[in-house]
Amino acid sequence: MRAIGLMSGTSMDGVDVALVETDGETIGGFGPTGYRAYSEDERAILRAALKEGAQITDRTTRTPLLARAEALVTRAHAEAVELFLETNGLARGDIGVVGFHGQTVLHRPAIGLTVQIGDGVALRQRLGIPVVYDLRQADVAAGGQGAPLVPVFHRALAAQAALPRPLAVVNIGGVANVTLIAADEALLAFDTGPGNALVDDWMGERTGARMDAGGGAAARGRADEALLAWLLVHPFFAKPPPKSLDRNAFSFSIVGNVATEDGAASLTAFTARSIARAADFVPDPPVLWVVCGGGARNPELLRLLAHATGAEVRTGEDVGWSSDFLEAQAFAFLAVRSMMGLPLTYPSTTGVTAPVTGGIVLA
């Protein structure tokens, strides 16, 4: 069927939209993509909601601010789909399902808590298209980490491509995660550590910019090697996978009061080296690392990753994938798997005790 996937990541820049034709097991083809940016005012509300969300202990809690943010997220996603359909000459009846990830405001699987705001019922009513949402909760409830969810999609992608194995597919959003695909197609997946969040927050604090565009500031700076050595002995990096990380587990303030470029260099190197540590958990290190997500647009981060891994690093675009829309495509694929009752997660991807399907289906 034709499925639309929606993704609003931890970077909170906007809503990605992607069309995929799939039966939930194989990928029949990719359709157009779209994007609906958040305004600065909307991002401010979401950032405030992220801080407030860190305090909740019940996933159904909606403070006035969280309720406002949830309405914003739902409206933005509905507008994104409506614009996408209009732009591409598609009717609502052409779409079998919409996969709605929502906006993560809290992810603490150790205490069985994951919260993605976004009203699936309201989205279903407004669009008149079946919706699958709340895709992480079933895994967390069954003892899994609830993340990452995309490895099964990565394997479907890799099955269609003539890529060497062992292969690493890295998504670098606010948090970075990796899917390791062995020569025998076995999967291992986990969050590797910080992605773009630290350097984004650092540049926002220092310059008001949303990111270190092209890694320019980091390339001009000098990383603090002593700090990096200390950061990389954090217990998270030695913990065996599966494992996942909250966006706020580390703070940009770790670099201290240094020049903007030096702070960016240290934080970018931290991201690259923590990603490279993923190879510690497989017997045969990847011969190719394919980078997707916002980090794929940062040449300095890619350079540092290649240096840290000693392997070839390519972007999703380099291998014919869409770096920018891969996660949205994944949630289209996962929505169809959810409708079919197929597993979304596995013991080797989230640590759940047995393969688990997930998502609330509003047919």
Side-chain angles (χ1 to χ4, degrees), residues 3-266:
I4 286 176
L6 302 173
M7 184 63 192
S8 177
T10 50
S11 57
M12 297 180 290
D13 53 350
V15 181
D16 294 330
V17 188
L19 180 68
V20 176
E21 293 185 14
T22 178
D23 60 3
E25 296 187 274
T26 59
I27 299 166
F30 295 106
T33 57
Y35 178 70
R36 191 272 196 196
Y38 288 128
S39 69
E40 285 298 336
D41 287 346
E42 288 172 336
R43 273 194 290 273
I45 293 169
L46 293 177
R47 283 193 293 266
L50 197 68
K51 291 180 181 177
E52 192 153 304
Q55 309 304 316
I56 64 178
T57 57
D58 182 333
R59 71 188 311 268
T60 63
T61 296
R62 295 295 184 268
T63 64
L65 174 58
L66 284 171
R68 182 183 178 196
E70 184 160 59
L72 182 165
V73 166
T74 307
R75 181 178 69 253
H77 282 69
E79 291 171 357
V81 174
E82 290 165 351
L83 177 62
F84 177 81
L85 295 175
E86 180 182 352
T87 301
N88 294 289
L90 293 166
R92 298 180 187 218
D94 294 333
I95 308 302
V97 65
V98 172
F100 179 30
H101 176 269
Q103 183 71 53
T104 298
V105 295
L106 182 69
H107 184 70
R108 292 183 185 161
I111 58 172
L113 196 57
T114 186
V115 181
Q116 289 76 44
I117 56 173
D119 188 335
V121 174
L123 188 68
R124 170 71 177 89
Q125 290 173 341
R126 174 163 170 172
L127 294 178
I129 302 170
V131 167
V132 175
Y133 73 107
D134 202 11
L135 288 118
R136 299 187 188 274
Q137 172 59 18
D139 182 84
V140 171
Q145 291 285 314
L149 292 185
V150 295
V152 68
F153 176 66
H154 288 155
R155 185 164 60 185
L157 278 177
Q160 293 187 322
L163 297 179
R165 309 288 198 279
L167 172 70
V169 181
V170 187
N171 180 69
I172 309 179
V175 170
N177 58 65
V178 66
T179 299
L180 297 164
I181 307 173
D184 63 359
E185 301 300 316
L187 287 176
L188 180 65
F190 51 97
D191 286 352
T192 61
N196 303 314
L198 297 184
V199 73
D200 286 353
D201 291 350
W202 171 258
M203 295 302 291
E205 175 80 9
R206 285 303 186 96
T207 71
R210 286 175 46 211
M211 66 187 75
D212 179 15
R220 294 190 299 272
R222 176 176 293 182
D224 183 334
E225 291 295 334
L227 173 66
L228 290 168
W230 177 75
L231 288 172
L232 288 165
V233 297
H234 188 284
F236 177 81
F237 303 115
K239 179 183 177 184
K243 55 186 175 179
S244 64
L245 190 75
D246 187 82
R247 184 191 189 279
N248 295 323
F250 292 91
S251 168
F252 67 86
S253 62
I254 54 179
V255 297
N257 186 22
V258 298
T260 298
E261 291 80 4
D262 292 345
S266 292

